[in-house]
Amino acid sequence: MSVSEIALAGGQTSNGRGAEFRRGLAASTPVLLGIIPYALVLGAQAAQKGLSVVEVPLMTGLNFAGGSEFAAIQLWTSPPHLLLITAITLLVNSRHFLMGAALAPFIKHLPKRKVFPALFLMCDESWAVGLADAQRRAAAGMRPAFSLPFYLGAGLPFYFAWVAFTTCGAALGPVLGDVETYGFAMAFPAVFLVLLRGMWRGLAAARPWLVSLAAAALSYLVVPGAWYVAAGALSGLVAAWFLAGDK
């Protein structure tokens, strides 16, 4: 079953599915606009490293994970060090294990033919929007808490926009030169600040975030490579486990 087909399955009426899809689109639009600048940056950087306008959408469409794509482009040489790039890609994308685990309680009722295509669309932004909505619905007593049409309404636009604008960046990169001079790179942290604000549940609940931030920052400063991603993820997970009983 394709990604688009799973939106048409399930027990909801067509009007209900359409309304949920539009609700997901509306919820994700502010963040969606924020990814456009750094999609252009990635495409331009890829073109400067020698990737063609055809190769860039293949990369961003098959490996739908912006952080690992930026890391891969930074390491890209001619010929490329494939084992190193693969290892760094796996390391940077390791956070998806935790993201998937957070979603698991909400999607366990869905058949695998729907879950796997939906998880392909899981990026930081669609995950945060989808998880926050599922948590709100669960708190309101709605069942099922996870709305698949809502999630697709949030996730599909991210996917298509990411592929389209990285391709535009690759096409325009040689004309624009160094696009970072335009300040586009600031969109990357800005988007994640918006996502964190949407998930804010008070200072006590944010303590694992602070532990993760400190561990990632320290690792970034003292350990070469992308190990700060794993350090931040694992330290945040351990902190959440130890602090779970605190109020």
Side-chain angles (χ1 to χ4, degrees):
M1 179 174 287
S2 69
V3 170
S4 59
E5 287 174 333
I6 62 178
L8 302 177
Q12 295 175 301
T13 66
S14 296
N15 287 339
R17 289 194 300 268
E20 282 295 284
F21 187 92
R22 291 190 294 273
R23 191 171 66 85
L25 177 60
S28 65
T29 296
V31 182
L32 177 64
L33 296 175
I35 75 168
I36 292 174
Y38 63 88
L40 293 171
V41 170
L42 176 63
Q45 290 180 345
Q48 291 163 6
K49 287 296 184 82
L51 274 71
S52 72
V53 177
V54 174
E55 291 167 335
V56 169
L58 283 174
M59 177 185 73
T60 57
L62 295 175
N63 175 47
F64 181 45
S68 63
E69 290 162 359
F70 273 104
I73 290 302
Q74 293 300 319
L75 296 170
W76 195 269
T77 57
S78 184
H81 299 288
L82 294 180
L83 289 178
L84 175 61
I85 291 174
T86 300
I88 292 299
T89 297
L90 290 173
L91 178 61
V92 174
N93 286 346
S94 63
R95 70 192 187 281
H96 286 247
F97 288 114
L98 301 178
M99 292 160 60
L103 273 180
F106 297 104
I107 61 176
K108 61 184 179 181
H109 66 285
L110 295 172
K112 291 183 175 60
R113 72 179 186 277
K114 298 180 186 178
V115 169
F116 291 153
L119 289 180
F120 176 77
L121 296 174
M122 188 179 72
C123 60
D124 297 298
E125 295 84 0
S126 62
W127 169 80
V129 172
L131 180 63
D133 182 69
Q135 290 173 334
R136 283 192 294 267
R137 286 165 61 94
M142 300 178 68
R143 296 293 184 272
F146 183 81
S147 171
L148 187 56
F150 172 90
Y151 177 81
L152 292 174
L156 282 170
F158 280 120
Y159 179 80
F160 290 121
W162 184 250
V163 175
F165 283 99
T166 52
T167 304
C168 289
L172 297 174
V175 178
L176 296 176
D178 184 6
V179 293
E180 292 192 15
T181 60
Y182 297 99
F184 286 173
M186 69 174 291
F188 198 87
V191 165
F192 283 92
L193 288 174
V194 171
L195 295 179
L196 288 175
R197 177 63 186 88
M199 300 175 70
W200 181 260
R201 296 294 181 270
L203 185 59
R207 287 176 295 174
W209 301 2
L210 299 176
V211 172
S212 178
L213 173 64
L218 182 61
S219 179
Y220 177 82
L221 292 173
V222 301
V223 181
W227 290 102
Y228 59 90
V229 177
L234 291 175
S235 61
L237 184 63
V238 171
W241 186 77
F242 275 109
L243 297 171
D246 293 351
K247 301 296 183 183

